[in-house]
Amino acid sequence: MIENSNKILTKDYSFKRIIRKILLLVARKTPLLPGEYRVRLVKWGGVNIKDYRKVFIGYDVAFDDLHPELISVGQGTIITEGTKILSHFLDVSYNDYDHQYVGEVRIGANVFIGMNSVIVKPVTIGNGAVIGANSVINKDIPPYTIWGGNPIKFISERNIQIKER
């Protein structure tokens, strides 16, 4: 049973889901694939990407293939090698493995996610945030801040001068 805000979602084994899984797998496991093509495959795999020409996704970045449509990535974002992004998680208060909860993972614009980071719960990462390498993101990240560690901890504010035109 998969729940979302007290709503049970049915499992989907459609042709569209199979194609999405293949696209996400090819994007993840093809080492010599140019960056723009990797981002296009991820977008075609169901992940919501604002502007695929301004996003970088490194090699071996895994997006949740059960619910890729619940993941959104803002423009100018850099997701480095080995990062894992999940939009579902298991409720451990039950003794069976059928209680999964789903939620949206929102990654803002101009975010940097360090190598081998893992997003394990539905979270929002604010614009301009920086996530250190090997971090486990399990809570919302405010805009223009630096976080890192396992579990993730606040490190500092970013000093960004916004240029006005």
Side-chain angles (χ1 to χ4, degrees):
M1 170 170 49
I2 300 173
E3 299 179 19
N4 181 10
S5 304
N6 298 327
K7 181 176 161 186
I8 298 172
L9 302 174
T10 59
K11 293 184 179 178
D12 179 21
Y13 297 106
S14 66
F15 180 73
K16 181 178 179 181
R17 178 171 178 220
I18 293 168
I19 294 299
R20 284 182 166 186
K21 284 176 90 73
I22 291 169
L23 289 170
L24 291 173
L25 183 65
V26 169
R28 178 181 176 190
K29 292 295 184 182
T30 308
L32 299 177
L33 190 66
E36 184 177 326
Y37 295 115
R38 185 182 319 276
V39 177
R40 281 187 188 185
L41 287 174
V42 168
K43 185 174 175 78
W44 293 339
V47 177
N48 299 312
I49 297 177
K50 272 280 198 213
D51 186 356
Y52 70 88
R53 291 167 292 195
K54 295 182 180 178
V55 172
F56 174 80
I57 297 174
Y59 171 70
D60 199 27
V61 173
F63 290 90
D64 189 344
D65 58 1
L66 290 178
H67 303 287
E69 69 279 356
L70 296 176
I71 301 170
S72 62
V73 179
Q75 67 182 11
T77 294
I78 298 172
I79 304 173
T80 58
E81 184 174 335
T83 299
K84 313 295 185 247
I85 302 172
L86 300 174
S87 60
H88 75 282
F89 65 99
L90 185 66
D91 185 358
V92 294
S93 62
Y94 293 94
N95 290 333
D96 59 6
Y97 294 102
D98 288 337
H99 287 83
Q100 292 181 8
Y101 293 88
V102 297
E104 292 184 21
V105 174
R106 294 185 191 110
I107 302 172
N110 302 312
V111 172
F112 177 85
I113 299 177
M115 192 173 196
N116 293 324
S117 294
V118 181
I119 299 175
V120 293
K121 283 196 173 185
V123 295
T124 299
I125 300 174
N127 295 339
V130 174
I131 308 296
N134 292 315
S135 297
V136 177
I137 301 109
N138 58 359
K139 58 183 156 186
D140 290 347
I141 307 297
Y144 303 105
T145 55
I146 302 171
W147 292 68
N150 177 12
I152 198 155
K153 294 179 182 116
F154 175 74
I155 295 173
S156 71
E157 297 280 331
R158 285 186 68 190
N159 296 326
I160 294 196
Q161 307 266 332
I162 300 174
K163 296 179 182 177
E164 294 185 21
R165 292 183 183 202

